[in-house]
C-alpha cells in the first residue's frame, strides 16, 4: 500500500507511471505490504482466470517464490529503473526473503517526479518485463 500521495500519468519510461503527489524525503516509507491491498495468487489461480485478467496479472504483478503479487493501488504502475529512487526492503515486515516488505525513498523525491523501483530486486519475472 502506498504510504504517500500519488497519481498516475503517462510515463517517459513507458506506458503509465506513478508520480509523487508531494515531496518525499530520503528514507521516508513509500510503500508497505498490506494483505488487503495486494492480491496473492498461485500460477494455477492465474491460469483459471479469463485471458484478459491473466494478461493484467502478468503485466502488473510481481512474481516471488511461485506466487504472483498484484497491487490494487497505484503502486502497480511503478516502473523499473536500474537507478530507482525507492529501495525494496524485504526484511521490513516478516523477515528475510519475504515479499511482505516495504520500500523507502533512497533520496529526496520531488513532487511530480516518477516513483521507480528496481524489478531485479524482487520480481523473479523481471526478464520477461524488461527489454533486453
Amino acid at each position: 500500500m502506498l504510504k504517500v500521495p500519488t497519481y498516475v500519468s503517462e510515463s517517459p519510461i513507458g506506458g503509465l507511471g506513478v508520480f509523487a503527489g508531494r515531496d518525499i524525503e530520503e528514507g521516508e516509507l513509500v510503500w508497505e505490504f498490506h494483505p488487503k491491498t495486494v492480491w496473492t495468487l498461485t500460477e494455477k489461480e492465474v491460469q483459471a482466470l479469463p485471458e484478459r485478467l491473466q494478461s493484467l496479472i502478468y503485466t502488473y504483478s510481481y512474481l516471488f517464490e511461485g506466487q504472483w503479487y498484484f497491487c490494487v493501488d497505484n503502486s502497480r504502475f511503478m516502473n523499473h529503473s536500474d537507478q530507482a529512487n525507492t529501495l525494496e526492503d524485504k526484511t521490513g515486515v516478516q523477515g528475510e526473503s519475504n515479499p511482505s516488505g516495504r520500500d523507502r525513498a533512497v533520496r529526496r523525491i520531488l513532487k511530480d517526479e516518477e516513483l521507480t523501483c528496481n524489478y531485479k530486486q524482487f520480481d523473479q519475472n523481471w526478464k520477461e518485463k524488461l527489454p533486453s
Side-chain angles (χ1 to χ4, degrees), residues 20 22-28 85-86 104-111 113-115:
R22 65 162 171 79
D23 290 353
I24 300 168
E25 297 305 318
E26 181 177 345
E28 187 174 346
N85 55 22
T86 68
R104 294 192 179 275
V106 297
R107 60 168 175 75
R108 188 162 195 243
I109 300 168
L110 300 177
K111 182 179 186 284
E113 183 178 346
E114 185 168 3
L115 300 176

Side-chain angles (χ1 to χ4, degrees), residues 62-67 69 88-102 121-122 124:
Y62 61 93
L63 178 65
F64 186 81
E65 295 184 353
Q67 299 273 354
Y69 293 84
E88 175 75 9
D89 174 12
K90 292 188 209 88
T91 63
V93 177
Q94 299 174 358
E96 290 186 37
S97 297
N98 191 304
S100 304
R102 52 187 166 198
Q121 294 177 338
F122 61 91
Q124 293 169 330

Side-chain angles (χ1 to χ4, degrees), residues 6-119:
T6 64
Y7 63 93
V8 175
S9 188
E10 288 186 44
S11 167
I13 295 171
L16 298 173
V18 61
F19 294 80
R22 65 162 171 79
D23 290 353
I24 300 168
E25 297 305 318
E26 181 177 345
E28 187 174 346
L29 185 62
V30 174
W31 180 89
E32 186 169 43
F33 179 87
H34 188 286
K36 298 287 186 185
T37 64
V38 181
W39 298 350
T40 306
L41 303 155
T42 65
E43 181 64 30
K44 184 176 180 179
E45 290 172 319
V46 174
Q47 289 295 316
L49 295 170
E51 193 172 311
R52 183 168 174 248
L53 287 178
Q54 288 179 37
S55 178
L56 185 74
I57 296 296
Y58 292 136
T59 300
Y60 292 108
S61 297
Y62 61 93
L63 178 65
F64 186 81
E65 295 184 353
Q67 299 273 354
W68 291 95
Y69 293 84
F70 179 79
C71 298
V72 299
D73 66 0
N74 287 349
S75 62
R76 72 180 175 270
F77 298 108
M78 197 175 291
N79 284 315
H80 168 80
S81 173
D82 284 332
Q83 290 79 41
N85 55 22
T86 68
L87 178 63
E88 175 75 9
D89 174 12
K90 292 188 209 88
T91 63
V93 177
Q94 299 174 358
E96 290 186 37
S97 297
N98 191 304
S100 304
R102 52 187 166 198
D103 293 348
R104 294 192 179 275
V106 297
R107 60 168 175 75
R108 188 162 195 243
I109 300 168
L110 300 177
K111 182 179 186 284
D112 301 322
E113 183 178 346
E114 185 168 3
L115 300 176
T116 58
C117 58
N118 187 333
Y119 293 177

